[in-house]
Amino acid sequence: MPVIEQIKECLIPAGKSVLSFVEEDIQFLANCIEDNETIISATTGSKKLTYFLYLLTSNRLLTLDKSKKDKTLDSYNLDEIHNLIVNRKMLAVEIDFVYQETDIRFKLTNDKATKPFADELENIFGIPEKVTQKKVKGPKAIKLNLTVLNGKEQLKERGYNYVLKQIKPGFVDIVIDSKEPETFELIKWERVENIQKSAFDIAGWSIIGSKIGNAGAIAGAMGANIGKDKSVATLFLKRENGDKVPLIIKCDKKALEKLSLFIVSEDAEETQPVVQNQISAADEILKFKQLLDEGILTQEEFDTKKKQLLGI
């Protein structure tokens, strides 16, 4: 079969209209085929409403360069092509390769003639292994929006929105108005129903070699901000330099459930708050499962607490 007929036969799946657009290309490339070459496949590509013919032979990859006034042949010897990749997209098929240290790209029309053309190239050059970097997600932070009743002046920032976050067990970040977080070691936390008792507890905790506040003054400062739920909690925090930072926060039922997910420092495990009546681990897990079902806890938070209770 004459070379021209072989090329046209490869293009039949693309349709008669495509054939009519590349008649000149077919005549030109057919005259460039050498005696020792055989036609393997052919297809087309379009650029700025102009169709281009791409021809794959046993020796070369050919196309007619119409970008210049004088049309020329672009010829690429197969044994000099490296790193060829077929990128199949919805509207086009891109062929990328390196030829004599130059990056080459063909953009082919995604029609029924292009698929066998691309398949033949992959048969010759193989399909490169795609190196994909799997994104490793870190553990999700446990977050608690804080209502700080006493101790704001000890933080490096002042603002309106205070968020307590924990990613690493034993340590917490305090983020104020989305600014740079400050990291603390979480020594312990304690929840009490009595404001005065909490104030006395915190007043007895030394800070930078001295005592903080007066119990009565602390309790008075908190009282006006407590609201209907009189429960409060004290966070006993420590900076890297050893400075102690106690914070008294409002602690309603929802805040307590969130706070119970936070893991204190391993060096201070003996000081962890003890749940009254020492509920069994199984009962605790059931309680947190209910909070998960109610949407108060996320799945990640529930899994973290479950592992903590089971000691795994």
Side-chain angles (χ1 to χ4, degrees):
M1 182 185 299
V3 171
I4 290 178
E5 296 303 318
Q6 293 181 50
I7 296 174
K8 288 184 177 182
E9 186 175 2
C10 292
L11 294 175
I12 288 175
K16 292 182 179 180
S17 59
V18 172
L19 272 171
S20 64
F21 292 142
V22 291
E23 282 286 355
E24 182 183 350
D25 301 56
I26 293 172
Q27 293 288 342
F28 184 92
L29 291 182
N31 291 328
C32 298
I33 300 300
E34 299 173 357
D35 294 338
N36 63 341
E37 285 184 292
T38 55
I39 304 297
I40 296 177
S41 188
T43 191
T44 60
S46 61
K47 185 178 180 181
K48 295 181 179 179
L49 302 178
T50 301
Y51 272 85
F52 293 78
L53 175 65
Y54 295 93
L55 192 61
L56 176 63
T57 75
S58 55
N59 298 338
R60 294 179 294 167
L61 187 57
L62 308 171
T63 188
L64 178 61
D65 186 355
K66 301 178 182 179
S67 60
K68 300 175 184 177
K69 201 168 188 180
D70 296 327
K71 298 172 186 178
T72 57
L73 172 70
D74 281 346
S75 174
Y76 305 93
N77 294 327
L78 297 185
D79 57 3
E80 295 182 54
I81 291 177
H82 304 284
N83 303 328
L84 186 139
I85 298 174
V86 177
N87 189 8
R88 302 171 193 255
K89 297 185 177 181
M90 184 174 293
L91 299 178
V93 175
E94 293 179 352
I95 308 297
D96 295 297
F97 59 90
V98 177
Y99 189 79
Q100 297 180 350
E101 300 184 357
T102 301
D103 293 329
I104 307 295
R105 169 173 290 183
F106 294 155
K107 193 171 183 179
L108 311 179
T109 306
N110 193 6
D111 56 28
K112 292 182 179 180
T114 295
K115 185 182 183 304
F117 186 89
D119 290 343
E120 289 291 350
L121 285 173
E122 288 184 334
N123 288 336
I124 294 171
F125 294 97
I127 302 174
E129 294 184 9
K130 295 182 179 179
V131 180
T132 57
Q133 287 187 337
K134 187 177 180 181
K135 293 183 179 179
V136 180
K137 293 184 179 180
K140 190 172 182 178
I142 303 170
K143 297 181 182 180
L144 172 63
N145 293 321
L146 297 179
T147 300
V148 181
L149 303 174
N150 192 273
K152 289 182 180 180
E153 67 281 352
Q154 300 173 78
L155 303 174
K156 70 177 185 179
E157 299 280 0
R158 298 294 294 275
Y160 298 96
N161 298 310
Y162 292 74
V163 179
L164 187 71
K165 298 171 60 177
Q166 184 176 66
I167 297 178
K168 180 181 177 182
F171 294 86
V172 293
D173 289 337
I174 294 181
V175 182
I176 302 173
D177 295 341
S178 301
K179 297 177 183 177
E180 191 71 21
E182 185 175 7
T183 302
F184 299 89
E185 184 179 2
L186 178 59
I187 302 302
K188 64 176 181 176
W189 63 267
E190 292 180 351
R191 183 186 189 239
V192 295
E193 303 290 339
N194 185 289
I195 302 171
Q196 188 73 23
K197 180 181 183 302
S198 182
F200 272 113
D201 287 344
I202 196 170
W205 210 45
S206 60
I207 297 184
I208 320 176
S210 62
K211 302 288 183 181
I212 176 175
N214 171 278
I218 295 172
M222 292 189 299
N225 300 315
I226 290 297
K228 190 174 181 180
D229 189 337
K230 302 295 183 182
S231 302
V232 298
T234 305
L235 304 178
F236 294 88
L237 310 174
K238 185 187 288 186
R239 288 190 171 98
E240 187 178 355
N241 63 5
D243 291 350
K244 295 179 179 179
V245 179
L247 295 180
I248 298 179
I249 64 172
K250 184 178 178 181
C251 190
D252 56 19
K253 180 181 177 182
K254 187 173 181 179
L256 174 63
E257 302 296 356
K258 282 276 188 176
L259 192 56
S260 64
L261 297 173
F262 285 75
I263 301 173
V264 300
S265 171
E266 291 182 1
D267 297 333
E269 284 185 345
E270 294 180 0
T271 65
Q272 284 194 38
V274 180
V275 179
Q276 291 181 351
N277 301 325
Q278 292 295 322
I279 305 174
S280 68
D283 290 338
E284 281 281 77
I285 292 173
L286 287 175
K287 181 182 71 173
F288 287 113
K289 180 64 168 65
Q290 183 178 354
L291 294 173
L292 172 66
D293 294 339
E294 292 174 358
I296 296 175
L297 299 181
T298 65
Q299 184 66 51
E300 289 84 0
E301 291 169 339
F302 171 75
D303 292 341
T304 298
K305 189 59 182 177
K306 182 178 177 181
K307 289 180 181 179
Q308 181 186 357
L309 290 168
L310 295 176
I312 58 177

